């Protein structure tokens, strides 16, 4: 479903109001349901506030790009996540109505109508979808070793996880295939377990840390192709702290003979663009994990495209948000998208002669 979007002035007004909207609506919501959330004292009020802030972050793609589904997916995900933790979900729709009331009183009528249409459409679609799960991104096909690797991650068994990867390398498998079909497949499954309250945040973080350590060791054991003379700069856009997938992309390019500048997670747009100007890469790869990072990647691409002539790099985007809505790559101004490390390298080699 595509919606009417806000013009620049309306988006600026929405952005300026976000903090006030979160405070006002969270306060109203907390007062209305103090019998439930009051038992948690300050933690209950803070939880309300954080949820309303996330509502607004996922609302922005609807207002800027006309894309409703990210907000609906988030609401359905929130419903499932709260349900398995025995936290009430009946008031999610009510919080959207409170937000509509707030913006009706704080924006010009035409802009308020755009915002409220998105909020109420999301509410209705979410309510019709309750009990369902958002369509997950297509996970990589797991190998037979994936289950044992996942178990090692969740047990905190770094030696065991490394032994599995070393065995695969000894058997002649390349690191990029191992990362895709064992490491990434295992981390996807662990993420699903966290959502179902079968795995704690601590264990999920531990699994990610071990996986990154194992990837580094695997890279040291891997053979790099001959140098191509081509350069790639890779970064997670501002606000995106999910960097494991981008590390895999960096490994693929490095082993493919490219010079790689890997900037990691949460890179401010100005810093990223300045690095691109100074280093002059052939390709800039941007990772976008969640829909509310789309504004940051659009701003970054706009600045990169302002560089003249040959100084303008080829821009590729990827990550969960892009894999879920591939058509967004063109809307954002990117030249291409890559669904995984292998696809990104193949595409870049084809484009950059």
């Amino acid at each position: 479903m595509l919606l009417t979007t806000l013009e620049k002035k309306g988006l600026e007004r929405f952005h300026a109001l976000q903090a006030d909207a979160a405070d006002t609506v969270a306060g109203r919501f907390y007062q209305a349901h103090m019998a439930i959330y009051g038992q948690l004292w300050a933690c209950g009020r803070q939880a309300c506030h954080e949820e309303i802030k996330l509502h607004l972050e996922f609302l922005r793609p609807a207002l800027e790009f006309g894309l409703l589904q990210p907000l609906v997916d988030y609401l359905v995900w929130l419903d499932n996540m709260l349900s398995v933790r025995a936290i009430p979900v009946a008031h999610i729709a009510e919080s959207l109505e409170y937000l509509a009331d707030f913006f009706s009183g704080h924006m010009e009528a035409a802009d308020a109508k755009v915002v409220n249409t998105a909020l109420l459409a999301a509410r209705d679609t979410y309510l019709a979808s309750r009990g369902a799960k958002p369509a997950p991104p297509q996970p990589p096909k797991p190998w037979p070793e994936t289950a044992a690797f996942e178990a090692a991650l969740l047990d905190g068994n770094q030696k065991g996880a490394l032994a599995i990867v070393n065995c695969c390398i000894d058997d002649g498998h390349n690191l990029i295939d191992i990362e895709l079909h064992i490491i990434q497949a295992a981390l996807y499954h662990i993420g699903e377990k966290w959502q179902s309250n079968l795995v704690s945040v601590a264990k999920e973080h531990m699994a990610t840390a071990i996986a990154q350590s194992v990837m580094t060791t695997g890279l040291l054991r891997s053979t790099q192709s001959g140098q191509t003379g081509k350069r790639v700069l890779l970064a997670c856009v501002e606000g995106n702290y999910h960097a494991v997938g981008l590390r895999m992309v960096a490994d693929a390019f490095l082993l493919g003979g490219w010079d790689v500048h890997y900037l990691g997670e949460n890179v401010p747009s100005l810093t990223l663009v300045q690095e691109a100007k100074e280093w002059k890469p052939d390709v800039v790869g941007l990772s976008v994990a969640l829909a509310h990072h789309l504004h940051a990647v659009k701003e970054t691409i706009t600045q990169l495209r302002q560089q003249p002539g040959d100084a303008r790099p080829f821009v590729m985007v990827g990550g969960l948000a892009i894999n879920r809505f591939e058509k967004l790559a063109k809307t954002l101004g990117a030249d291409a998208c890559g669904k995984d490390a292998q696809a990104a390298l193949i595409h870049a080699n084809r484009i950059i002669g």
Side-chain angles (χ1 to χ4, degrees):
M1 178 181 181
L2 286 177
L3 302 168
T4 302
T5 56
L6 289 175
E7 299 294 334
K8 181 180 179 180
K9 183 179 178 181
L11 281 171
E12 290 173 349
R13 177 62 176 162
F14 172 79
H15 180 70
L17 287 169
Q18 279 188 247
D20 191 20
D23 289 341
T24 302
V25 173
R28 179 181 174 186
F29 187 85
Y30 183 78
Q31 288 297 322
H33 303 292
M34 188 178 294
I36 296 172
Y37 295 97
Q39 299 174 37
L40 302 175
W41 299 95
C43 293
R45 188 182 184 93
Q46 183 62 27
C48 292
H49 190 270
E50 292 303 315
E51 285 183 15
I52 299 301
K53 283 174 61 179
L54 280 174
H55 287 11
L56 294 168
E57 291 294 337
F58 279 93
L59 174 61
R60 179 154 190 158
L63 305 180
E64 187 167 1
F65 304 106
L67 195 63
L68 184 66
Q69 198 58 46
L71 177 56
V72 175
D73 284 353
Y74 159 69
L75 295 171
V76 173
W77 170 85
L78 178 63
D79 187 295
N80 288 322
M81 190 270 290
L82 295 178
S83 294
V84 298
R85 290 162 173 80
I87 299 173
V89 298
H91 306 134
I92 292 176
E94 185 179 355
S95 67
L96 300 176
E97 294 161 8
Y98 287 177
L99 283 170
D101 289 345
F102 174 87
F103 287 110
S104 291
H106 290 79
M107 298 185 78
E108 293 184 5
D111 289 339
K113 182 178 180 180
V114 171
V115 175
N116 292 346
T117 296
L119 284 166
L120 299 181
R123 178 202 61 187
D124 293 344
T125 308
Y126 150 66
L127 290 174
S129 305
R130 283 201 66 198
K133 290 186 177 181
Q138 188 64 36
K141 183 178 180 180
W143 283 357
E145 298 87 352
T146 304
F149 184 80
E150 178 186 328
L153 293 182
L154 292 175
D155 287 342
N157 184 358
Q158 183 166 340
K159 289 183 178 179
L162 181 58
I164 293 169
V165 169
N166 278 332
C167 184
C168 288
I169 293 175
D170 292 339
D171 287 342
H173 295 293
N174 68 68
L175 178 64
I176 307 311
D177 284 337
I178 293 169
E179 288 181 342
L180 181 65
H181 296 289
I182 295 181
I183 299 177
Q184 187 172 340
L187 290 176
Y188 266 55
H189 195 222
I190 289 171
E192 291 175 355
K193 285 184 174 180
W194 172 82
Q195 182 176 335
S196 299
N197 203 29
L198 300 174
V199 166
S200 69
V201 172
K203 283 189 176 293
E204 185 186 31
H205 287 190
M206 178 178 66
T208 300
I210 293 174
Q212 289 178 309
S213 175
V214 168
M215 287 164 58
T216 299
T217 303
L219 183 63
L220 293 174
R221 289 200 58 195
S222 300
T223 302
Q224 183 177 350
S225 299
Q227 290 295 310
T228 64
K230 294 179 282 192
R231 293 180 165 194
V232 61
L233 184 149
L234 300 168
C236 293
V237 297
E238 192 165 359
N240 179 12
Y241 292 88
H242 299 79
V244 177
L246 191 68
R247 269 287 312 277
M248 295 178 182
V249 175
D251 289 350
F253 275 89
L254 186 64
L255 295 177
W258 286 60
D259 290 331
V260 178
H261 271 197
Y262 169 73
L263 305 187
E265 64 186 35
N266 186 36
V267 182
S269 296
L270 290 177
T271 301
L272 196 162
V273 172
Q274 184 61 36
E275 180 68 13
K277 287 181 179 178
E278 293 176 2
W279 195 55
K280 297 179 174 59
D282 298 288
V283 174
V284 172
L286 303 174
S287 174
V288 193
L290 300 172
H292 59 270
H293 301 145
L294 293 174
H295 178 73
V297 76
K298 183 180 180 182
E299 283 190 339
T300 301
I301 292 173
T302 298
Q303 294 180 49
L304 289 170
R305 292 179 70 89
Q306 291 172 354
Q307 298 185 50
D310 293 340
R312 188 180 82 81
F314 181 88
V315 181
M316 184 179 298
V317 292
L320 291 176
I322 298 299
N323 293 347
R324 181 78 172 85
F325 306 102
E326 289 187 12
K327 293 180 180 179
L328 273 174
K330 184 177 181 180
T331 302
L332 294 169
D335 297 298
C337 61
K339 67 177 182 177
D340 55 45
Q342 292 174 333
L345 178 62
I346 290 170
H347 203 84
N349 280 329
R350 185 168 60 245
I351 296 297
I352 307 298

